[in-house]
Structure formats: C-alpha cells, structure tokens
C-alpha cells in the first residue's frame, strides 16, 4: 500500500507538509463524424481536410472557459478563428498553462490560401505528437 501512495502523495518542508498530487484525466475523445457541427465554411473545410489526412478534429471544443473552433485533442492543438474583440494573448497564455498550443486563423484568408494553412496545422500537429504526418 505504501508503494501505491508514493505516486500521489508528496512530502514538503513547507506548510502543508503533505500534499496530494492531482492526477490528470486522460484526453479520450470519441471518434465520430461531426462535420455537421461546423458553422462556417472555413471550419467545414478545415474539418474535412484534417479528416482526409487521418486526423480526428473535434469542432467547438471547450478548454476550460475558452471555446476552440476546432481542436486536435490528442495533440493538444486548438484552432481558433480571429474575430474582432478577441484577446489573442490572453487566450494563448491561458491555454499554454494547460499544455495546449493555439493557432489563430482568419476565415477569408483560409479560404484563399487553403493548402498553406492546412500544411501549417499538420506540421504543428506532427511536432506536438512527435510523429510524421500520414500521407
């Protein structure tokens, strides 16, 4: 029993002397087709392109109190549309504390330079996951 408790109990020299470590929940997401949940054409395009590359995006995923337009949960990558009134620095900082990376996009630029942005997302996901992108 003592060996098992060492994993989640930490002794400290300062008060409180005994601390309980919080266990992180596994990021398990049910894989299903959710392209109907995408609101804009840019979201639909991102969703279909990522699914074609064998990634599993989740549209409108909540991370604490921040809503990502599309999230790659296993890679902890949030794709958020740039809109007027969005504080990008605050969002990036809050998500970075939780171990997430953020990519902001503008819908009209995405529809003009489609492949460039999708390649950026795939490159970032492969760096996060330390795997090569599927072809």
């Amino acid at each position: 029993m003592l060996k098992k408790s060492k994993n989640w109990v930490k002794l400290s020299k300062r008060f409180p002397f005994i601390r309980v470590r919080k266990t992180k929940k596994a990021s398990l997401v049910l894989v299903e087709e959710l392209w109907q949940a995408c609101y804009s054409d840019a979201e639909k395009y991102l969703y279909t392109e990522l699914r074609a590359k064998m990634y599993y995006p989740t549209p409108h995923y909540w991370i604490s109190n921040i809503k990502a337009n599309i999230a790659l949960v296993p890679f902890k990558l949030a794709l958020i549309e740039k809109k007027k009134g969005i504080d990008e620095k605050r969002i990036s900082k809050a998500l970075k504390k939780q171990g997430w990376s953020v990519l902001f996009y503008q819908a009209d630029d995405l529809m003009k330079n489609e492949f460039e942005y999708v390649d950026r997302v795939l490159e970032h996901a492969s760096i996060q996951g330390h795997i090569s992108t599927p072809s």
Side-chain angles (χ1 to χ4, degrees):
M1 183 69 180
L2 185 59
K3 288 183 182 179
K4 289 184 181 179
S5 65
K6 284 185 180 180
N7 292 335
W8 52 273
V9 173
K10 181 180 177 186
L11 300 176
S12 175
K13 293 181 181 179
R14 293 187 293 178
F15 185 80
F17 300 107
I18 298 175
R19 297 180 185 186
V20 178
R21 292 183 186 158
K22 294 180 182 177
T23 57
K24 293 185 178 182
K25 295 179 182 177
S27 60
L28 182 65
V29 176
L30 185 63
V31 177
E32 51 185 76
E33 283 295 325
L34 297 171
W35 65 270
Q36 302 95 340
C38 298
Y39 300 143
S40 67
D41 291 335
E43 287 177 13
K44 287 179 184 177
Y45 174 77
L46 273 174
Y47 184 88
T48 54
E49 284 298 313
L50 290 172
R51 284 292 290 135
K53 302 282 186 186
M54 300 302 293
Y55 287 91
Y56 300 105
T58 306
H60 306 288
Y61 187 76
W62 284 92
I63 308 159
S64 295
N65 61 346
I66 299 169
K67 183 179 179 182
N69 293 65
I70 293 181
L72 293 172
V73 178
F75 300 102
K76 289 197 168 193
L77 177 63
L79 308 172
I80 300 175
E81 184 177 356
K82 287 183 183 178
K83 294 181 182 176
K84 192 173 184 177
I86 270 187
D87 189 3
E88 293 178 23
K89 288 182 182 179
R90 183 188 64 81
I91 291 172
S92 295
K93 187 176 178 181
L95 292 179
K96 196 171 196 173
K97 280 184 179 179
Q98 296 179 10
W100 284 75
S101 298
V102 184
L103 289 176
F104 292 97
Y105 68 91
Q106 289 184 336
D108 48 342
D109 289 345
L110 173 67
M111 297 310 286
K112 290 177 187 173
N113 303 328
E114 301 152 347
F115 298 111
E116 179 183 325
Y117 191 78
V118 172
D119 290 340
R120 239 178 81 202
V121 171
L122 296 177
E123 178 184 321
H124 196 76
S126 66
I127 290 171
Q128 288 292 104
H130 304 290
I131 58 171
S132 61
T133 55
S135 51

